[in-house]
Structures are given as C-alpha cells and as structure tokens.
Amino acid sequence: MNFTETAWKVFNQSIEDYHVFDDVNHLINNPFEKDSLERILYAKNWIDTVQWHLEDIIRDENIDPTEALQLKRTIDASNQQRTDLVEFIDSWFLNKFKNITPKSDAKINTETPAWAVDRLSILALKVYHMSLEANRESASEEHRLNCQAKLDVLLIQKEDLSTSINQLLTDIENGDVKMKVYKQMKMYNDESLNPILYQKGQQK
C-alpha cells in the first residue's frame, strides 16, 4: 500500500468514526500507535472533519449572534491547529528525507507534501458528504443526479491528487525535487502582529 492509499484509508476511518456521534464536541479517540504516521494523519483529518461541521453550523441564518461569535473563535483556533499539524507532518517528511541529497538541478515544488496531504484530507470529506447527497432518499432525483455527477469529478480529483503526491514523494526521494518548508506565519492570532489586538493592549 503506497502513501496516499494509507492516508485515504486513515482519513475515511476518521470520518466514519466522527459520524458515529456526529458531535463537534466529541473528543477524538485516536486508534493508532503513538508516533506513527497513521496517528498523525487521523488527528489531521479529525480536525478537518470537526471544522467542516462547525462551518455548517455557523451558516445557520437563525443562529444566535453570541453563539456565532463563539463558533468563529472556535473555527479560528481550529484553523491554527490545522496549520500546526500540517507543519508537523512536513517535519515528519523532512526527517524521513534528511539523508537525501538533492541533485544540482533539483526543482522546488509549489507546495510541500503536507499541504498536498491537507488537500487530500479535505477531498475525503467532500467525497463522503457528496456521496451522502447523491444517495439521499429525501432529495429529488435531479438533486441526486447532480450530486452524482459532482461525486464522479471528485473521485477523478482524488486519483489525480493521489498520483501527484506519490510522484512528489518519489521525486524528493530520488533527489529530483528539493523539499523546502516555510512556516505559514499566520498573523491574525498573534497579539504582536494583529493591529486590532496589539492596539487594544496598548490602550490598557
């Protein structure tokens, strides 16, 4: 089983496990061994799955404004966790390939392996939920057919993205691509970088 096959299997296990309770407040129960790649991938997708449903909830037009603000703060924190975990996965890959010497003409990819894996995790969620809609009995036949057409495209995307990720990892391992990582340096959560936050601190 290659990397993306493993990742896809783990992502779908996370999604299925979440929907047993279907509760954004339910705590993760990671079934994989400590320090294993599978454990990291499961945690990554669990964050994505919870955030997927938080984004659904906050779009309720009748939501209480106070609750919406609390949800926005929760989503912000989730986004930071997601970014931190993606960077952790890149650190895992950096360690894996630390003894690889890139060739003199090695290229640099537009995104790191972990950010491509991030897209694969989100794609697993899209496939899961689009499949539900394509088979929802309470929906019209037109709705189901439209969703099935979208699902077909998503499955093609899954194959293409999986192939691209596997090719990228092979190219890094062969020295054809140089793995280079930049931290995201998000500014909105940082009290020293967000003007709204640091101006408020100066006023105290």
Side-chain angles (χ1 to χ4, degrees), residues 52-132:
W52 177 285
H53 291 85
L54 288 171
E55 297 281 6
D56 279 348
I57 294 169
I58 204 170
R59 282 167 174 75
D60 181 356
E61 294 181 354
N62 297 315
I63 191 171
D64 177 76
T66 301
E67 182 185 354
L69 179 59
Q70 291 173 339
L71 277 173
K72 178 63 172 67
R73 302 244 186 266
T74 301
I75 290 170
D76 283 347
S78 177
N79 267 322
Q80 189 63 59
Q81 287 181 323
R82 169 176 166 256
T83 299
D84 291 345
L85 198 45
V86 169
E87 292 179 349
F88 185 80
I89 294 171
D90 265 335
S91 297
W92 187 93
F93 280 118
L94 279 171
N95 185 64
K96 175 180 173 64
F97 297 123
K98 64 182 178 182
N99 295 320
I100 301 295
T101 301
K103 297 174 182 176
S104 59
D105 61 346
K107 301 174 182 178
I108 297 177
N109 205 51
T110 57
E111 65 181 352
T112 65
W115 281 109
V117 170
D118 174 73
R119 291 199 289 131
L120 189 66
S121 175
I122 302 300
L123 192 55
L125 280 159
K126 290 181 179 180
V127 168
Y128 177 88
H129 287 282
M130 194 62 74
S131 179
L132 289 181

Side-chain angles (χ1 to χ4, degrees), residues 8 127 148 150-160:
W8 191 258
V127 168
Q148 182 61 53
K150 292 177 182 178
L151 177 60
D152 293 341
V153 174
L154 290 172
L155 292 173
I156 293 172
Q157 284 184 292
K158 179 252 182 180
E159 293 302 319
D160 289 345

